[in-house]
């Protein structure tokens, strides 16, 4: 099956939730049928849960599978000869990682969706890009880690890509200063994973004699907050610290996962994560799986119409979320706006930031 890609013509944040739900439901239903016909493991899951296909389906009725299944099984809905790329999730050395099988159509759809979402924040013009990481992280171009895939995906929005860190995660002062001098009168795009930005960029450079005062910069970051929350650094502290130290005035977090690359949920100017046209979320009660209303905390189900090569279109995460607005966020974007409040107890670490922080801590302890 190849999804009807007309959804790329939908306004990214311009559809009301009611309008979007109708459009998404048809696409998600077709994806469910496609994966049931082409992925035997997925078909067995649906059979075991007595799921039946109906003519009319609402988003809430689309069956979901636990996101951690991709760590335990190699789920795919395409012949082996059509495999184009395998993405893996971030993980500590002791963890199993998710394997996400992509064909060319799915990879292309992911890239196109990401472009349409980020253009809402970055504009259509490629900006000089400073990457808060080291260049070796993207060496393996056949099997990407989530970290490498994230960097390469976001690199499409930048030019003059400059890595701010050396391979040992120390700041490359010369490269950073050269970048800033070269683009001192331009708007620049800074990207990195949350923990790396805090640990290796902010904490290392905030009190040095090096003057890193950006005139016009937008910072986009992601990757998990657990390690920083442990250090009493929340989103507010993170933003204010970077604004004060480096004059970075525009800072946006995003929520996303390797199991649904492309369908990211960007943080708006008021601090809320937003569902784009191609994706949605539901907040479910962990006791009975019912859909929870605004201002209730529960497990986050993520839905995306991009996954064609693997059954990842409806996933139950281990993250706790809270729906805040539906079509009425103060930023003006329609659709759902929500917050993530961490992960359920005893859930494995996820995200490039948190898994890297755990590994860094283990290595430090070993020394």
């Amino acid at each position: 099956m190849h999804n009807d890609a007309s959804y790329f013509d939908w306004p990214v944040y311009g559809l009301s939730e009611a309008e979007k739900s109708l459009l998404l439901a048809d696409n998600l239903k077709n994806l469910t049928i496609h994966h049931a016909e082409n992925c035997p493991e997925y078909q067995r899951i649906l059979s075991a849960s007595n799921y039946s296909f109906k003519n009319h389906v609402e988003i809430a009725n689309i069956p979901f599978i636990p996101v951690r299944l991709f760590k335990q099984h190699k789920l795919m809905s395409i012949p082996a000869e059509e495999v184009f790329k395998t993405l893996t999730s971030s993980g500590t050395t002791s963890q199993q990682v998710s394997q996400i099988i992509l064909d060319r159509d799915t990879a292309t759809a992911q890239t196109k969706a990401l472009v349409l979402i980020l253009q809402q924040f970055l504009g259509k013009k490629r900006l000089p890009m400073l990457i808060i990481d080291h260049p070796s992280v993207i060496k393996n171009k056949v099997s990407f880690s989530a970290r490498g895939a994230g960097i390469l995906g976001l690199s499409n929005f930048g030019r003059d890509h400059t890595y701010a860190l050396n391979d040992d995660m120390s700041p490359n002062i010369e490269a950073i200063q050269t970048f800033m001098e070269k683009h001192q009168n331009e708007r620049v795009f800074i990207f990195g994973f949350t923990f790396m930005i805090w640990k290796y960029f902010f904490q290392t450079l905030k009190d040095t004699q090096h003057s890193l005062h950006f005139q016009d910069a937008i910072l986009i970051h992601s990757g998990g907050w657990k390690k920083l929350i442990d250090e009493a650094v929340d989103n507010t502290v993170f933003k204010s610290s970077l604004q004060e130290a480096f004059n970075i005035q525009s800072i946006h977090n995003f929520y996303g996962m390797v199991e649904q690359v492309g369908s990211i949920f960007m943080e708006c100017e008021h601090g809320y994560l937003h569902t784009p046209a191609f994706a949605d979320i539901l907040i479910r009660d962990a006791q009975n799986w019912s859909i929870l209303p605004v201002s209730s905390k529960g497990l986050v189900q993520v839905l995306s119409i991009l996954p064609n090569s693997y059954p990842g279109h409806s996933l139950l995460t281990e993250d706790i979320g809270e729906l805040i607005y539906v079509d009425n966020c103060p930023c003006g974007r329609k659709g759902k706006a929500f917050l993530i409040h961490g992960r359920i107890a005893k859930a494995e670490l996820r995200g490039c930031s948190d898994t890297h922080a755990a590994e860094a801590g283990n290595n430090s302890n070993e020394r």
Side-chain angles (χ1 to χ4, degrees):
M1 171 202 169
H2 297 289
N3 243 355
D4 176 6
S6 62
Y7 53 77
F8 287 126
D9 295 328
W10 301 348
V12 177
Y13 297 113
L15 293 173
S16 69
E17 186 61 25
E19 293 172 317
K20 191 173 81 171
S21 292
L22 288 174
L23 295 169
L24 286 185
D26 277 343
N27 282 271
L28 290 167
K29 174 188 172 184
N30 291 337
L31 278 172
T32 302
I33 294 171
H34 161 70
H35 292 306
E37 292 176 346
N38 293 281
C39 178
E41 297 88 349
Y42 185 71
Q43 172 60 59
R44 286 198 288 272
I45 292 171
L46 296 189
S47 297
S49 60
N50 295 317
Y51 183 79
S52 62
F53 293 96
K54 301 174 182 176
N55 289 331
H56 175 70
V57 174
E58 296 181 354
I59 285 181
N61 304 126
I62 298 294
F64 56 79
I65 60 175
V67 70
R68 67 165 53 208
L69 270 189
F70 290 93
K71 293 187 175 184
Q72 300 159 345
H73 302 278
K74 199 171 185 177
L75 304 176
M76 54 195 286
S77 306
I78 54 172
E81 58 269 23
E82 292 184 15
V83 174
F84 169 59
K85 186 182 296 183
T86 300
L87 301 179
T88 58
S89 61
S90 299
T92 64
T93 50
S94 61
Q95 286 179 337
Q96 284 185 293
V97 295
S98 295
Q99 293 188 72
I100 307 302
I101 309 298
L102 303 182
D103 60 3
R104 287 186 180 275
D105 285 347
T106 302
T108 299
Q110 290 176 340
T111 300
K112 193 166 184 177
L114 194 63
V115 167
L116 292 171
I117 293 168
L118 287 174
Q119 281 181 345
Q120 305 293 313
F121 295 83
L122 294 169
K124 294 186 177 181
K125 181 182 176 183
R126 287 189 170 199
L127 302 175
M129 183 174 180
L130 184 66
I131 302 165
I132 313 299
D133 215 313
H134 62 81
S136 298
V137 75
I138 60 167
K139 278 185 177 175
N140 188 342
K141 295 190 176 181
V142 175
S143 180
F144 285 127
S145 67
R147 189 168 146 198
I151 290 172
L152 281 177
L154 273 292
S155 293
N156 291 323
F157 303 89
R159 59 181 171 84
D160 193 16
H161 306 98
T162 301
Y163 286 84
L165 304 181
N166 298 304
D167 284 352
D168 63 357
M169 305 302 280
S170 63
N172 187 337
I173 300 294
E174 182 178 355
I176 297 169
Q177 290 187 324
T178 300
F179 175 87
M180 294 183 68
E181 290 168 7
K182 185 176 179 181
H183 303 292
Q184 59 180 322
N185 295 318
E186 300 175 73
R187 191 181 198 215
V188 299
F189 169 33
I190 305 171
F191 172 72
F193 294 99
T194 313
F195 177 80
M196 282 81 151
I197 292 171
W198 184 262
K199 178 76 173 179
Y200 304 115
F201 191 74
F202 170 73
Q203 288 193 324
T204 306
L205 294 172
K206 65 183 174 67
D207 295 323
T208 67
Q209 74 279 17
H210 306 292
S211 176
L212 300 180
H213 186 89
F214 291 90
Q215 294 185 5
D216 186 6
I218 177 171
L219 167 64
I220 292 178
H221 67 101
S222 186
W225 284 92
K226 184 179 186 306
K227 183 64 177 176
L228 291 186
I229 295 298
D230 290 346
E231 298 180 10
V233 178
D234 60 14
N235 198 12
T236 301
V237 172
F238 184 87
K239 284 183 177 178
S240 62
S241 299
L242 288 162
Q243 287 167 352
E244 181 178 346
F246 307 129
N247 193 42
I248 303 173
Q249 299 299 320
S250 181
I251 299 176
H252 300 269
N253 182 30
F254 72 82
Y255 173 65
M257 57 199 72
V258 72
E259 292 84 359
Q260 284 190 355
V261 168
S263 303
I264 64 170
F265 305 95
M266 287 290 294
E267 178 191 17
C268 74
E269 298 78 2
H270 294 268
Y272 300 111
L273 300 162
H274 279 260
T275 57
F278 333 104
D280 211 340
I281 64 151
L282 295 170
I283 306 296
R284 288 192 180 271
D285 187 316
Q287 301 300 318
N288 57 23
W289 306 126
S290 63
I291 306 296
L292 294 175
V294 169
S295 301
S296 299
K297 295 180 182 177
L299 284 178
V300 178
Q301 179 187 350
V302 291
L303 303 113
S304 169
I305 54 178
L306 303 181
N308 181 72
S309 56
Y310 64 99
H313 59 302
S314 176
L315 302 174
L316 186 69
T317 75
E318 295 171 339
D319 297 321
I320 299 170
E322 178 185 2
L323 189 60
I324 305 297
Y325 295 109
V326 179
D327 295 333
N328 59 348
C329 181
C331 74
R333 293 175 179 85
K334 292 185 178 179
K336 292 175 183 169
F338 64 102
L339 293 172
I340 295 294
H341 294 295
R343 296 173 57 69
I344 58 174
K346 298 183 179 179
E348 285 186 323
L349 286 174
R350 285 182 61 91
C352 299
S353 285
D354 287 339
T355 54
H356 172 82
E359 283 295 275
N362 291 339
N363 292 337
S364 175
N365 292 334
E366 289 170 2
R367 285 195 294 271

